[in-house]
Amino acid sequence: MLTVNAAELSPAQLQNYMQYAIAPRPICFATTIDKEGNINLSPFSFFNMFSTNPPLCVFSPARRVRDNTTKHTLENVLEVKECVINIVNYPMVQQMSLASTEYAKGVNEFDKSGFTMLPSELVKPPRVAEAPVQMECIVREVIHLGENPGAGNLIMAEVKLIHIKEEILDEDGKIDQAKIDLVARLGGDWYCRVTADNLFKVAKPLTTLGIGVDALPKAVRYSKVLTGNDLGMLGNIEHLPAAEEIDAIQNNPEVKEIFDATIGDANNRERELHELARQWLSKGNVSDALKVVML
């Protein structure tokens, strides 16, 4: 394993390692305005939500690594403590990237990138009409993290109004994760796209108390077939199956076939049973998978 000391790296080297490793990162496409009324539109991937009560997002226009200068977004929010956070999806990613060009102060990135300005209801900066979600925010605080190249400036933005395009909603009026078509930032020029075919769910243990991987039999924990993800799913079960439940799973046709084909071959039987368990886990049948690996 490569081990590097952050203190021994240049800001550019450190930024490279961190941006490639800490990813994907959501994109804050921020609209701001200065006291003269000049509008700025710029994306930032140092961004996330940090609170829902109050509803608070934080993004960071870091000082430029190459010359230690600050960005117009930072200068604007120090003058007018308002912004709009426009969420970026795939249909607008190329225009969003164009808006990141370092145009001179006073140049409107809406014009350069071809986006449509939409008046906000509570704040002065306009919204990006093409964005699937637009959040009007009041800037509560700006925290400067340093004066050196690469130092961040945390802009704490309290969400006051959220505008959501109806075409990304499901029948219950909630955002459909498959419809919004989000993109996220990786390292260098890399992005990723959240599409329906690469979405998956992980059961969140909020109301249950999983037994944990350490409670699984040793042969299961150190299986040569089961992966860490498989063990995590098995460890999320609330209790080990009873002996009669384990015995009953032997009546399953797939299990019976394995038993019949591996008479006198314990090693292959275990391997094939674990392979079957992996198949069932991939289909969400965790309960039966656990019974199979405990045969």
Side-chain angles (χ1 to χ4, degrees):
M1 177 174 285
L2 172 67
T3 301
V4 295
N5 187 330
E8 296 174 355
L9 299 176
S10 69
Q13 291 173 316
L14 188 55
Q15 178 174 274
N16 182 276
Y17 280 124
M18 293 183 68
Q19 288 187 342
Y20 273 81
I22 304 172
R25 301 183 303 281
I27 302 167
C28 167
F29 200 22
T31 315
T32 58
I33 192 170
D34 68 12
K35 59 186 178 183
E36 277 78 40
N38 295 307
I39 294 168
N40 183 265
L41 178 64
S42 187
F44 301 92
S45 69
F46 293 2
F47 161 64
N48 220 310
M49 60 176 285
F50 287 85
S51 172
T52 52
N53 188 20
L56 198 68
C57 292
V58 177
F59 66 99
S60 176
R63 302 178 74 92
R64 295 182 179 91
V65 171
R66 68 175 183 277
D67 59 10
N68 201 25
T69 55
T70 57
K71 299 185 178 182
H72 299 143
T73 298
L74 174 63
E75 296 163 6
N76 287 357
V77 299
L78 292 174
E79 292 183 1
V80 178
K81 298 186 180 303
E82 299 174 349
C83 68
V84 177
I85 295 175
N86 305 278
I87 299 302
V88 179
N89 64 358
Y90 186 74
M92 56 188 291
V93 67
Q94 294 289 347
Q95 288 174 277
M96 177 277 300
S97 179
L98 178 58
S100 69
T101 303
E102 294 180 2
Y103 295 109
K105 185 172 177 60
V107 174
N108 189 334
E109 287 83 4
F110 275 93
D111 297 332
K112 290 295 185 182
S113 59
F115 281 122
T116 306
M117 286 194 293
L118 187 64
S120 295
E121 296 182 19
L122 290 180
V123 300
K124 296 182 181 67
R127 296 176 274 151
V128 176
E130 291 79 2
V133 179
Q134 308 137 16
M135 297 181 285
E136 298 186 34
C137 305
I138 300 298
V139 175
R140 289 181 48 160
E141 188 176 359
V142 179
I143 302 174
H144 305 287
L145 300 182
E147 301 297 328
N148 296 321
N153 297 277
L154 304 185
I155 296 175
M156 303 178 68
E158 184 174 347
V159 179
K160 293 297 186 180
L161 280 182
I162 304 176
H163 309 275
I164 307 169
K165 289 194 173 183
E166 292 188 3
E167 57 260 36
I168 68 168
L169 300 176
D170 62 19
E171 59 275 8
D172 297 320
K174 298 178 180 179
I175 293 176
D176 188 323
Q177 200 69 86
K179 290 181 180 178
I180 191 171
D181 202 4
L182 293 169
V183 293
R185 198 74 169 82
L186 305 174
D189 292 337
W190 292 99
Y191 288 76
C192 64
R193 181 181 182 182
V194 182
T195 57
D197 60 350
N198 62 30
L199 287 170
F200 62 94
K201 290 185 176 181
V202 177
K204 188 177 291 187
L206 294 178
T207 59
T208 60
L209 186 65
I211 59 174
V213 172
D214 61 330
L216 298 172
K218 185 175 180 180
V220 178
R221 296 201 310 271
Y222 298 106
S223 169
K224 295 180 180 179
V225 174
L226 301 173
T227 68
N229 279 336
D230 297 330
L231 295 178
M233 294 175 72
L234 295 173
N236 200 29
I237 289 285
E238 291 187 80
H239 53 79
L240 291 172
E244 56 268 23
E245 294 179 285
I246 298 172
D247 290 340
I249 201 68
Q250 296 184 58
N251 295 320
N252 179 281
E254 292 180 276
V255 176
K256 287 185 70 174
E257 183 178 345
I258 292 173
F259 267 76
D260 291 342
T262 58
I263 295 173
D265 189 352
N267 288 335
N268 273 331
R269 174 174 292 179
E270 179 179 285
R271 178 182 56 78
E272 291 191 27
L273 288 172
H274 286 204
E275 291 282 5
L276 178 60
R278 283 206 71 193
Q279 294 176 29
W280 288 357
L281 286 170
S282 70
K283 298 174 183 177
N285 188 0
V286 183
S287 178
D288 284 345
L290 181 55
K291 296 169 191 173
V292 164
V293 296
M294 294 188 66
L295 285 170

